[in-house]
Amino acid sequence: AKRAANLRVLQKTDPTTIDIIGSAPHAVLYEFNTSAVQWEKQNVEGSLFVTQHSQSPKYKIIVMNRNSKENLEVPLAASFQMQVREPYLIFRLDKGDKQAADDKQQIKGIWFHNGNERQKIHDVLSKVVKTLSVPGGQEVQTKCQNASPAPRTVSKKEAAASLMAALKISGSSSTTPVPQQKQQQQVKTPTNVQQTQAPKEEEATIQNMVLDKKSLQLSLMSLLNDDRFLDLIHAQYLKVARARENNSTPKK
């Protein structure tokens, strides 16, 4: 739930955001001053996210800044360089990057509240850079994604079939048995086995499907005109009504 809320906030800032593949609750941005030879704290701190996008650049580091409306946004590429040096995760901003002032290469450091979080983000970024280094890697889903995949869209027909399977209602209105001889012929024919394998797998998927509230609503709407479904509901209704009647009848 928290991850979904964070994703919605990020999508308001950038509608191309499609996923969060890494995060840390608190990070602070530092910049290395080459003249003074020291790290200087910047006016950027907040929750850090490594995000995936539908458009180029496919991956970014984003810090949702609590101190101002200007967030840190670093696009990731195969040339992205970084290293862990206590207590920072150090990286360079290339010339021309919108975060680099005066068109100069800058050395940035991100401080994390927890060293384990720093290492986790480093590992996530390493896998992203490795993915981007592969030809066509921008179209490859990163293996470092530890979030659950987006839920599969369920059609009204599939939702109805799933509900009927859960209620033990056959998807076919025919009850005519297949002759034994014909069944044996089908089993012996390799072509028939291959043709029926996919439907069986699909049927198993539908039977194991767990419907959310919206999908359940769609399935109920589609089953209102199904006599088998209505017969089952009516039979259950009569069962409850008769049990209530029996319980309310005074014993002699």
Side-chain angles (χ1 to χ4, degrees):
K2 184 177 180 180
R3 178 185 170 280
N6 288 333
L7 183 59
R8 286 194 295 268
V9 172
L10 290 165
Q11 287 172 336
K12 289 181 180 179
T13 305
D14 185 352
T16 69
T17 307
I18 58 175
D19 208 354
I20 298 172
I21 59 175
S23 64
H26 187 68
V28 183
L29 180 67
Y30 283 77
E31 181 178 331
F32 188 73
N33 187 326
T34 55
S35 300
V37 194
Q38 65 180 14
W39 289 99
E40 296 177 348
K41 184 179 180 180
Q42 306 297 293
N43 191 36
V44 177
E45 62 178 300
S47 299
L48 179 145
F49 302 95
V50 182
T51 55
Q52 184 178 3
H53 299 262
S54 59
Q55 299 178 6
S56 182
K58 289 292 185 178
Y59 302 97
K60 295 179 183 178
I61 299 173
I62 297 177
V63 175
M64 301 298 290
N65 196 2
R66 300 173 183 173
N67 297 335
S68 73
K69 294 182 179 180
E70 186 175 355
N71 299 323
L72 174 69
E73 184 175 318
V74 181
L76 299 175
S79 59
F80 182 77
Q81 298 179 1
M82 63 176 173
Q83 61 176 300
V84 172
R85 184 173 296 177
E86 294 282 349
Y88 306 107
L89 174 63
I90 302 172
F91 64 95
R92 294 177 181 272
L93 286 180
D94 294 331
K95 295 178 181 180
D97 190 281
K98 68 178 183 179
Q99 296 288 343
D102 302 325
D103 198 32
K104 295 180 180 179
Q105 190 177 63
Q106 297 180 348
I107 299 175
K108 300 285 188 179
I110 299 178
W111 177 90
F112 294 82
H113 177 71
N114 187 300
N116 292 332
E117 294 171 353
R118 178 177 59 247
Q119 188 60 49
K120 181 184 69 173
I121 294 299
H122 175 270
D123 294 343
V124 169
L125 293 174
S126 296
K127 292 179 181 179
V128 169
V129 172
K130 184 177 180 180
T131 298
L132 294 175
S133 300
V134 178
Q138 287 195 349
E139 302 300 327
V140 178
Q141 292 286 340
T142 175
K143 295 180 180 179
C144 62
Q145 182 175 351
N146 51 19
S148 300
R152 174 174 174 265
T153 302
V154 180
S155 67
K156 186 183 291 187
K157 181 179 179 181
E158 288 177 326
S162 175
L163 180 59
M164 293 176 71
L167 296 175
K168 307 299 182 183
I169 307 177
S170 171
S172 173
S173 57
S174 174
T175 57
T176 305
V178 179
Q180 184 176 359
Q181 183 178 1
K182 187 175 182 180
Q183 286 180 335
Q184 292 175 351
Q185 292 176 355
Q186 291 178 345
V187 172
K188 292 180 181 179
T189 307
T191 304
N192 290 336
V193 174
Q194 293 175 359
Q195 290 177 348
T196 57
Q197 184 175 2
K200 286 182 179 179
E201 292 177 355
E202 182 178 354
E203 182 180 350
T205 301
I206 291 175
Q207 289 178 349
N208 294 329
M209 187 183 300
V210 178
L211 301 178
D212 56 21
K213 187 176 180 180
K214 184 64 177 178
S215 299
L216 179 62
Q217 181 185 33
L218 290 173
S219 66
L220 289 172
M221 290 172 61
S222 65
L223 289 172
L224 288 178
N225 295 324
D226 193 307
D227 289 338
R228 294 164 297 159
F229 178 74
L230 292 178
D231 288 343
L232 177 69
I233 297 300
H234 186 248
Q236 292 296 325
Y237 165 75
L238 291 177
K239 183 177 179 180
V240 172
R242 288 166 182 167
R244 186 185 300 119
E245 182 180 358
N246 292 336
N247 290 335
S248 60
T249 303
K251 297 181 180 180
K252 296 182 180 180

